[in-house]
Every structure is written in structure tokens, then in C-alpha cells.
Amino acid sequence: MDLFAAEIELLEKSEDRELTLRNLLYPIKSEFRFIFIDCPPSFGLLTLNSLIASESVLVPVQCEYFAMEGLSLLIKLLWRIRGGFNETLDMEGILLTMFNRHIALSRQVADDIRRIFRSKVYDTVIPRNIILAESPSYGKPAVIYAPNAPGTQAYIALAKEVLNDNSLLF
Ligand SMILES: Nc1ncnc2c1ncn2[C@@H]1O[C@H](COP(=O)(O)OP(=O)(O)OP(=O)(O)O)[C@@H](O)[C@H]1O
Ligand SMILES: [Mg+2]
């Protein structure tokens, strides 16, 4: 509800509404190695603000058919933003998630995305793992609730991969 209210408030602003988040983050940016902004699954003003405030975008993609369509729309949107508000916006990486190796469609979507986006796709794949859905109901992150679960281990591997990709920064 807070984010819904924020979207309305942004709509009512007369100027710089797309730049609000960037302007707010600017003075504190240097205090952090990473700032993660979790976006809604829609292309409203909140997402636009996030993409304009960001240096790069990490895109989680479910290994399902409609996710492919969403991905190509997102790529088009990123190009538009690069052509306008944020020329240096980069694609950090594409993360295959909800992967089920027993389902042919899941394997096929993962293969297709790797074939098209190649090195932009993380080696780490997040499997469909009920532990990841359960842990919030215990009020705990998966790394505390079930550190050895396959889904948790995959997220730890992802964190290492992201850090390695960014090692030149440190
Ligand atoms: N790898 C996974 N295996 C099983 N369940 C998962 C997995 N990843 C996420 N889930 C479950 O799916 C649901 C949605 O996950 P999540 O909130 O991460 O998605 P989202 O795309 O960010 O959703 P929203 O659009 O609401 O922000 C949650 O119930 C979560 O626990
Ligand atoms: Mg979410």
C-alpha cells in the first residue's frame, strides 16, 4: 500500500518525477558497495525511477514461456531508457529461476535464454524449491531457515558469482 501511495505521489509531482529516486540516492551512494532496488513486476513510475537511479539491472526470469515474452519487452524498455534518461544503464545479468529439470519446458526456456543472451546469463540457476517459499512464513531468510537446502545453496552461489563479476570494482 505504501508503494501504491508513492506511485500516486510521484504522479502528482510536477517536475523530475522520474528522477526522484536518483536524486534521493545520490548523496548516500558512495557509502555503499551495492544498493539493491527490488522492483515491482510492472513498468510504472516506480520501476522507471529505479531504472533511472541504477547503474545496472539484474533480471530474474522464470523458466516458463511467458517469461521469455516479458524479457524481450524489458530489453526494449532498457534500450529506450538508455536512449533517454540513463545512457550508461547496463545489464548486470539474467538469472534463471524456478528451474525444474524434470520439466521439458523449463529446460527448453533455460536453453533458449542462454542461446540468445550467452554470457549475460548467470551460470547459477535457482531451482524450484519449496524451502524458498516456506522460509518467509517463519519470518526468516532462507540462509537462516534452511542453509543447506538446494534453493538456499543456489542463492549463495549466485551471491559469489555476482561478487566475482564485480571484483574489479574493489
Ligand atoms: N525458486 C523458488 N522455488 C519455489 N518457490 C519460490 C522460488 N522463488 C520464489 N518462490 C515463491 O514464489 C512466490 C513469489 O516469489 P518472489 O516474491 O520472489 O517473486 P516476485 O516476482 O518478486 O514477486 P512480486 O512481484 O510479488 O514481488 C513467493 O511465494 C516465493 O516464496
Ligand atoms: Mg518481488
Side-chain angles (χ1 to χ4, degrees), residues 38-41 62 97-99 126-136 151 155:
D38 184 23
C39 290
Q62 283 192 26
T97 181
M98 297 285 235
F99 179 72
I126 310 296
R128 189 179 276 272
N129 182 194
I130 193 65
I131 289 287
L132 296 174
E134 256 172 42
S135 58
Y155 271 109

Side-chain angles (χ1 to χ4, degrees), residues 26-46:
Y26 190 75
I28 57 162
K29 241 176 131 168
S30 59
E31 293 171 36
F32 300 91
R33 271 177 162 191
F34 292 99
I35 299 176
F36 284 92
I37 307 170
D38 184 23
C39 290
S42 57
F43 300 138
L45 257 183
L46 291 176

